[in-house]
């Protein structure tokens, strides 16, 4: 669903949590459902927070390791998907903070037969990735949740634990900064 977090229905989420509390095989099966439903969005979020596929995979792995360990203690004060996104966001920002060169992205070596237009487009994409990498963490997170995950302002506010107006402000600032960087020649 565009504009909101991917989630399970209330009854389905309650049944999953009951299975988790049983432990053993029911817990593993419930975790597998959570993983299947949230794997791709968490990987995409990790990619846009870190700029590198290998780091995004690390975010995915560490997030779900933390989720598996903490799931029995999940109290259900927020939706399960919100809780998992909060963990992934924290993991992604911590990983990004540990990297020395925040602007480093996966290299893209052009093929010998690439046209000039393709090379220009690749250069523009690299400039955009570098500009996003230079954004402060709070702006990058809002931009990733909005532009990549397609979350609405309310859902982003829920994940970040900030007022909805703060989400609007951070998104506006991120867009303005990117526009300034990309507008320069």
């Amino acid at each position: 669903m565009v504009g909101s977090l991917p989630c399970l229905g209330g009854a389905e989420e309650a049944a999953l949590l009951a299975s988790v509390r049983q432990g053993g095989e029911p817990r593993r099966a419930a975790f597998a459902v959570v993983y299947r439903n949230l794997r791709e969005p968490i990987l995409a979020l990790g990619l846009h927070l870190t700029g590198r596929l290998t780091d995004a995979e690390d975010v995915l792995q560490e997030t779900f390791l933390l989720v598996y360990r903490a799931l029995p203690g999940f109290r259900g004060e927020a939706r399960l998907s919100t809780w998992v996104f909060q963990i992934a966001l924290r993991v992604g920002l911590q990983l990004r903070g540990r990297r020395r060169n925040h602007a480093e992205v996966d290299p893209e070596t052009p093929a010998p037969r690439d046209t000039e237009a393709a090379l220009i487009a690749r250069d523009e994409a690299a400039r955009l990735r570098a500009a996003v990498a230079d954004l402060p963490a709070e702006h990058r997170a809002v931009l990733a949740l909005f532009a990549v995950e397609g979350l609405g302002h309310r859902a982003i506010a829920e994940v970040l634990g900030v007022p909805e107006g703060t989400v609007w402000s951070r998104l506006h600032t991120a867009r303005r900064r990117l526009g300034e960087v990309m507008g320069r020649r």
Side-chain angles (χ1 to χ4, degrees), residues 5-6 38 78-87 155 158-160:
L5 292 169
L38 297 176
R79 287 193 339 238
L80 186 58
S81 56
T82 300
W83 180 68
V84 174
F85 265 81
Q86 288 170 337
I87 292 170
E158 189 179 327
V159 168
L160 298 178

Side-chain angles (χ1 to χ4, degrees), residues 34-84:
V34 172
Y35 181 80
R36 272 194 312 274
N37 278 283
L38 297 176
R39 179 191 182 283
E40 291 299 321
I42 297 302
L43 183 62
L45 177 63
L47 181 59
H48 289 278
L49 287 174
T50 65
R52 296 175 55 91
L53 181 57
T54 56
D55 288 343
E57 290 168 343
D58 289 345
V59 169
L60 178 71
Q61 182 176 1
E62 189 171 337
T63 296
F64 280 103
L65 178 62
L66 291 170
V67 167
Y68 186 80
R69 288 179 180 163
L71 199 53
F74 177 67
R75 295 184 307 264
E77 293 172 354
R79 287 193 339 238
L80 186 58
S81 56
T82 300
W83 180 68
V84 174

Side-chain angles (χ1 to χ4, degrees), residues 96-116:
R96 183 175 183 262
R98 288 190 303 255
R99 279 206 347 248
R100 289 185 182 197
N101 183 0
H102 298 302
E104 183 183 329
V105 293
D106 286 331
E108 291 187 32
T109 306
R113 294 184 184 167
D114 279 351
T115 64
E116 183 177 347

Side-chain angles (χ1 to χ4, degrees), residues 89 136-143 145-146 152-176:
L89 186 60
E138 63 270 5
H139 294 118
R140 186 180 175 126
V142 169
L143 191 63
L145 291 169
F146 182 79
H153 295 85
R154 181 174 295 147
I156 295 170
E158 189 179 327
V159 168
L160 298 178
V162 299
E164 203 171 330
T166 301
V167 172
W168 283 92
S169 173
R170 288 179 184 175
L171 186 58
H172 172 76
T173 301
R175 286 175 167 166
R176 183 178 41 82

